[in-house]
Amino acid sequence: MQAERLLEVRNIEKRFGGLTALSDVSLTVNRGEIYGLIGPNGAGKTTLFNVLTGLYAPDLGAFEFAGSNLVGLKPYRVAEFGIARTFQNIRLFGNMTAMENVMVGRHVRTRAGAIGAILRTRSTRAEEEAIRLRSRELLAYVGLSQHGGMLSRNLSYGDQRRLEIARALATEPKLLALDEPAAGMNATETAELRRLLERIRTDGVTILLIEHDVKLVMGLCNRVAVLDYGRKIAEGEPAVVRSDTEVIRAYLGGALP
């Protein structure tokens, strides 16, 4: 059976003044897979994420998600279509609790407006309770149920990473884009993260993963693309990519782990 395409990126180019951060980048992410995006620092990986999630507009090219053209949409509209993301540098609301951070993620799936909030209508109260219930479920899902009342800035680094994932999942994404979720984690935390990502994929969410932990990527992803100086230099199954001579050259001439 032919895999069902979820995200199709075609010939994306992004320039910043005289610097070309992305050049003719094309790739396809299939529904139900974990797709890895690797490359040296400055290769353009996060820039591509920023294009796909509406933070940047591409200078050339286009991308479609679940059959819809999302180029030019604001980030909140991209989230409504079903793409959620985390960031390379953790972006939690430090003075809000873990529970409140996850609840914020539900905003794209709520209907109550300002009038309902002021009047405290029955439907608004019911929606708020549903938000709390779902947020508690997501905290348990990522292993943080005991920390729901803790300020997010007081959580451990690994717990903050998992909280960001829970907040992204609160938007009910079809595609979860993770920007270096294992950064700064020890071996035990990385193993726990791998199990969580496998569970998320099993539960029907497709994952697009930027990660410098090549061992994690090669052991977890169905397919991998490699960027170098803004160009895609390889794509395929992990075993094929890790033996590609241009990929090995991009990683300072040494064999991939």
Side-chain angles (χ1 to χ4, degrees):
M1 284 183 65
Q2 186 177 8
E4 181 184 356
R5 294 181 177 183
L6 180 63
L7 173 68
E8 186 169 4
V9 177
R10 297 189 301 273
N11 311 113
I12 290 291
E13 182 171 310
K14 180 61 184 176
R15 297 184 300 270
F16 299 97
L19 173 67
T20 299
L22 295 171
S23 178
D24 196 29
V25 174
S26 298
L27 55 86
T28 299
V29 179
N30 297 321
R31 192 180 297 274
E33 72 177 342
I34 300 179
Y35 187 102
L37 193 62
I38 64 174
N41 287 329
K45 304 181 298 295
T46 296
T47 299
L48 181 59
F49 264 35
N50 289 340
V51 169
L52 297 178
T53 55
L55 293 177
Y56 298 158
D59 294 299
L60 291 173
F63 66 95
E64 290 185 357
F65 179 73
S68 297
N69 180 9
L70 304 191
V71 173
L73 295 187
K74 298 294 186 182
Y76 77 92
R77 290 285 291 137
V78 173
E80 288 176 352
F81 271 91
I83 300 179
R85 71 170 295 180
T86 63
F87 291 85
Q88 184 176 353
N89 298 316
I90 295 173
R91 296 188 183 180
L92 295 171
F93 299 102
N95 290 321
M96 295 170 62
T97 66
M99 169 73 83
E100 290 167 342
N101 269 273
V102 179
M103 291 174 66
V104 166
R106 294 293 300 164
H107 76 282
V108 297
R109 303 299 174 205
T110 57
R111 297 181 178 180
I115 294 178
I118 294 171
L119 299 179
R120 302 294 298 161
T121 62
R122 180 180 300 178
S123 61
T124 299
R125 295 196 304 271
E127 187 174 67
E128 287 181 358
E129 183 54 36
I131 291 171
R132 290 183 181 278
L133 176 60
R134 182 56 179 155
S135 297
R136 283 194 293 268
E137 291 173 348
L138 287 169
L139 285 172
Y141 187 88
V142 301
L144 295 176
S145 56
Q146 71 276 27
H147 297 314
M150 184 180 294
L151 294 181
S152 65
R153 59 184 168 84
N154 294 332
L155 294 172
S156 70
Y157 186 84
D159 286 349
Q160 288 183 8
R161 286 286 183 189
R162 288 200 296 276
L163 180 57
E164 268 206 317
I165 292 174
R167 185 176 63 184
L169 289 174
T171 69
E172 299 179 11
K174 299 181 181 72
L175 177 70
L176 180 61
L178 303 175
D179 194 346
E180 295 192 34
M185 288 188 175
N186 59 38
T188 299
E189 290 171 331
T190 300
E192 292 174 349
L193 174 67
R194 175 172 178 167
R195 289 191 291 271
L196 175 59
L197 298 187
E198 289 173 336
R199 182 182 180 188
I200 291 171
R201 187 254 307 273
T202 299
D203 289 342
V205 179
T206 304
I207 297 175
L208 178 58
L209 174 68
I210 292 176
E211 187 51 65
H212 278 293
D213 187 333
V214 178
K215 183 177 180 181
L216 174 64
V217 171
M218 294 300 176
L220 181 63
C221 295
N222 303 97
R223 291 186 300 133
V224 178
V226 186
L227 296 184
D228 188 31
Y229 293 106
R231 298 183 304 111
K232 188 181 76 175
I233 61 172
E235 181 182 29
E237 295 181 357
V240 174
V241 169
R242 71 182 301 145
S243 61
D244 185 282
T245 55
E246 195 169 359
V247 174
I248 294 172
R249 178 202 56 77
Y251 279 89
L252 303 179
L256 292 174

